[in-house]
Amino acid sequence: MRVDIISIFPEYFAPLDVSLVGKARERGILEIRLHQLRDWTHDVHKTVDDTPYGGGPGMVMKPEIWGEAIDAVIAQAGPAASPRMIVPTPSGRPFTQETAIEYAEEPWLLFTPARYEGIDSRVAAEYGSRLRVDEVSVGDYVLAGGEAAVLVIVEAVGRLLPGVLGNARSVADDSFAPGSMANLLEGPVYTKPPTWRGREVPEILLSGHHGKIARWRRDQALRRTLEKRPELVARLDPAGLDKDDRKI
Ligand SMILES: COc1cc(COC(=O)c2cn[nH]c2)cc(-c2cccnc2)c1
């Protein structure tokens, strides 16, 4: 997978050199190219923003700069003809595990994180006619820029790429992966020592009864989901079947 990120703060993406994503890059599973948006400005101050038409607070990012930057990146087309363009924004559709799975299938992603009050809306319109342009939200709050959202999305997608997670960990076990634990929150997890500061590990987990352990884990996941995210339980199929129609 190829990932291009255009930003006025490319240094924000240093964390993508470490851990899982960093190793995936070293192994050639993921290729990430960073671009400084200001490289496409033509004034001495390298201006990327201006006051909003219609008045109002803050500044808006200028369309010309983004247009030249995106054109330049798209022109570097490799095996994939064109990228899927992703714009993190509070007004986007929610980014979920389903979105991450969808993006993990893409050969080329182009991220355009905005600063200020956002990017002139003509940019999404201009590229929406040529590329798939997704405006996605990573949460119902306002960030100072989309860079942190890009880090979240790249990590959520990167860990799904084949070969990134070790064999010990399959994404099929994820909270939100399709299957019997689909749409449930993670239950409690434990490891050695069996007693820590007088606190024991639930006996069932030491029993070796895998069927009982699986039922206990699902019960704990249901309890935690009911307590913290009841709306997710409402989405479970009342017939008790998960979405692949396998008996839970
Ligand atoms: C592209 O337009 C943007 C992008 C961002 C940065 O992304 C997020 O905040 C975000 C992404 N998922 N969840 C939050 C911020 C604004 C913005 C809006 C109003 C006032 N101030 C800033 C507009």
Side-chain angles (χ1 to χ4, degrees), residues 87-90 114 116-118 137-139 141-143 145-146:
V87 188
T89 170
Y116 309 102
E117 305 297 305
S137 165
V138 295
Y141 37 76
V142 178
L143 301 167

Side-chain angles (χ1 to χ4, degrees), residues 66-153:
W66 277 105
E68 289 188 32
I70 293 167
D71 286 347
V73 169
I74 294 176
Q76 300 164 358
S82 62
R84 186 159 188 174
M85 181 167 145
I86 299 163
V87 188
T89 170
S91 60
R93 74 181 170 116
F95 176 78
T96 64
Q97 190 66 13
E98 256 175 81
T99 326
I101 292 167
E102 195 183 316
Y103 288 172
E105 299 295 317
E106 293 289 340
W108 186 9
L109 300 177
L110 166 57
F111 290 94
T112 59
R115 287 263 142 183
Y116 309 102
E117 305 297 305
I119 302 173
D120 183 298
S121 296
R122 288 170 288 182
V123 174
E126 161 75 359
Y127 291 98
S129 55
R130 285 189 258 164
L131 311 172
R132 281 157 305 164
V133 176
D134 289 354
E135 295 187 323
V136 291
S137 165
V138 295
D140 293 336
Y141 37 76
V142 178
L143 301 167
E147 283 80 4
V150 172
L151 284 174
V152 165
I153 295 169

Side-chain angles (χ1 to χ4, degrees), residues 17 19-20 65 70 72 79 91 98 107 121 126 128-129 156 186 195 213-214:
D17 293 335
S19 184
L20 276 179
I65 322 296
I70 293 167
S91 60
E98 256 175 81
S121 296
E126 161 75 359
S129 55
E186 297 284 349
T195 302
I213 290 170

